[in-house]
Amino acid sequence: MRELSNDRRARRIGSFFLVLMLLISGLIPAQPVRAKADMKIDSASRILYLGGSDISGTADEYDFYIKNKPSDYKKLYTFTWTSSKKKVATVNSAGLVKAVGTGKTTITCTITLKETGETVLETSAAVTVKQNAKAVKISGYPEDKTAVVGETVDFSRKMTPKTGKSTATDKTKWVLTNNTADARVTQSNGKVKASQPGSYTITAYTYQSASYPLTEEENGEYTGYTAVSNSITITVIDQETADTQDDYAEQILKLVNEERKKAGVPELVMDDAVTEVANLRAKELVTLFSHTRPDGQDCFSAITEAGISYRGLGENIAYGYQTPEAVMKGWMNSEGHRENILYEAFDGIGVGYYVENGRAYWVQMFIAY
């Protein structure tokens, strides 16, 4: 063992302190940070459904994330998300993927060092986007369809889009609530035939039998891979009530045209489709006596929902009058109501009549074609 001279020993001590100071000052770089080997995307594959895979409609997107990140990952790494086919699915900077079109794409997260920009890891997931069953809309009817005992109503006749047209595997299950002996629904085609007066709601559930299960929960609601159309209430009345409605409507029409003849304006014609809307409005007046409907829309939205075209509309409402003559007298004694009755531009009329708890509700719905 050799002894170092005091001079050499001093130089070595000086070199040690120099290296220490360089390390402290950052002039000698530390070893580069590397990505943790077990960092990876949380799911290797995912199936999304265009339009949502269930009633909530949330399965057209998925939020990917990176597993096993170190606690200080925000200081060390930059995460960049990309989609190989943006026409199939897009991904934002946080890893949220949204379905855009059917097909397959690869979602990749590239992890780079913030300090150097060096790519240290890439992790990917395969995403497949499928077309969900499309929700149908029962159009051409008001929200509350009135039918007479023994009448058959074919709700499927005015569905949009028609099931089976846009997607070959789309199917529809029709469900009628309060489905007792009073009313029956043919599940395959949406035809309703009632035998007793009452109020029933029919709902169409569309689904794809091959890829999309349809399950019924305890509360009678259908869930799974479905899209729900709007529901429609069907009110079934007996023949006597129907005859009264028809008779009163004809009497109102006669009285209206008598007044119009006196004023020298053209007579109106009875419009059956508008009368159906007027009967709906008469029933709605029980809940809210207003030109605003119970759902907050204006009264004329019922005409639009029924698929009726028009140039102009007007509505008169009343309650408590027991006869057509009495209610017409009340309307003619009111300036605003009288103006509707005598307005020259109107061509047609629908008359609504509904009784609840002994109180009669009346509606005149005027239309210009």
Side-chain angles (χ1 to χ4, degrees):
M1 177 174 155
R2 294 181 299 174
E3 291 187 3
L4 293 175
S5 67
N6 289 335
D7 183 56
R8 291 180 65 189
R9 187 178 296 112
R11 285 199 300 271
R12 286 201 174 185
I13 293 173
S15 297
F16 170 77
F17 281 108
L18 176 62
V19 171
L20 180 62
M21 292 300 294
L22 288 173
L23 282 172
I24 294 173
S25 64
L27 295 178
I28 296 180
Q31 289 297 314
V33 178
R34 294 292 175 184
K36 290 182 65 178
D38 56 349
M39 280 201 298
K40 61 181 178 179
I41 204 164
D42 67 291
S43 177
S45 63
R46 204 77 192 177
I47 297 177
L48 303 180
Y49 300 95
L50 208 56
S53 70
D54 56 19
I55 292 173
S56 64
T58 57
D60 57 352
E61 61 182 42
Y62 182 76
D63 197 359
F64 283 105
Y65 65 93
I66 300 300
K67 298 192 298 184
N68 304 320
K69 298 188 296 289
S71 59
D72 57 349
Y73 72 94
K74 290 184 178 180
K75 296 180 180 179
L76 302 176
Y77 306 116
T78 298
F79 299 86
T80 304
W81 295 87
T82 56
S83 171
S84 63
K85 293 183 179 179
K86 295 181 180 179
K87 291 184 177 180
V88 175
T90 61
V91 60
N92 69 10
S93 59
L96 178 63
V97 176
K98 292 187 176 182
V100 177
T102 57
K104 295 182 178 181
T105 185
T106 300
I107 302 299
T108 301
C109 181
T110 302
I111 304 173
T112 57
L113 291 175
K114 284 188 174 182
E115 184 179 358
T116 64
E118 178 189 359
T119 297
V120 292
L121 185 66
E122 285 190 347
T123 178
S124 302
V127 171
T128 301
V129 178
K130 297 182 178 181
Q131 176 65 58
N132 190 13
K134 293 185 177 180
V136 297
K137 179 175 177 61
I138 308 170
S139 59
Y141 293 104
E143 290 183 355
D144 190 331
K145 165 70 176 174
T146 300
V148 182
V149 169
E151 181 183 355
T152 297
V153 182
D154 186 359
F155 286 104
S156 66
R157 184 171 56 88
K158 295 187 178 181
M159 280 173 46
T160 55
K162 293 287 186 181
T163 50
K165 293 291 182 65
S166 57
T167 305
T169 55
D170 279 7
K171 296 183 180 297
T172 302
K173 183 176 183 63
W174 294 86
V175 179
L176 190 71
T177 57
N178 307 326
N179 190 14
T180 64
D182 296 344
R184 295 182 179 84
V185 58
T186 304
Q187 302 285 3
S188 61
N189 58 18
K191 291 183 179 179
V192 178
K193 184 175 182 179
S195 58
Q196 295 291 332
S199 184
Y200 313 93
T201 300
I202 186 168
T203 303
Y205 295 86
T206 53
Y207 65 102
Q208 293 182 356
S209 58
S211 310
Y212 299 75
L214 187 69
T215 58
E216 184 177 8
E217 296 183 343
E218 292 181 1
N219 60 4
E221 291 292 324
Y222 283 81
T223 60
Y225 299 105
T226 66
V228 184
S229 78
N230 58 308
S231 297
I232 285 185
T233 300
I234 178 169
T235 300
V236 181
I237 59 176
D238 58 32
Q239 190 62 53
E240 182 180 355
T241 302
D243 291 342
T244 300
Q245 285 182 340
D246 291 343
D247 181 53
Y248 281 1
E250 289 296 333
Q251 290 186 51
I252 291 289
L253 175 64
K254 180 175 179 293
L255 294 169
V256 165
N257 282 334
E258 287 176 357
E259 296 295 341
R260 289 176 70 87
K261 187 176 181 180
K262 293 177 187 177
V265 296
E267 294 185 357
L268 302 180
V269 296
M270 184 68 73
D271 188 310
D272 292 341
V274 177
T275 291
E276 188 168 345
V277 172
N279 280 320
L280 164 64
R281 287 288 299 129
K283 185 178 180 182
E284 290 180 344
L285 296 181
V286 177
T287 303
L288 179 64
F289 187 77
S290 170
H291 294 296
T292 299
R293 303 176 66 189
D295 64 1
Q297 298 186 83
D298 69 70
C299 57
F300 303 129
S301 66
I303 290 286
T304 304
E305 289 169 0
I308 301 171
S309 300
Y310 62 89
R311 289 188 303 108
L313 296 169
E315 181 185 72
N316 286 345
I317 60 176
Y319 73 90
Y321 297 93
Q322 296 304 310
T323 66
E325 292 81 7
V327 71
M328 270 297 295
K329 183 177 179 180
W331 279 328
M332 289 301 294
N333 287 333
S334 167
E335 182 179 354
H337 296 93
R338 184 173 62 253
E339 287 180 358
N340 270 345
I341 292 171
L342 302 180
Y343 187 51
E344 186 176 2
F346 287 141
D347 305 298
I349 187 175
V351 179
Y353 172 75
Y354 183 76
V355 177
E356 184 162 311
N357 297 326
R359 175 175 287 182
Y361 296 84
W362 304 81
V363 173
Q364 289 176 324
M365 186 70 76
F366 301 94
I367 185 168
Y369 301 117

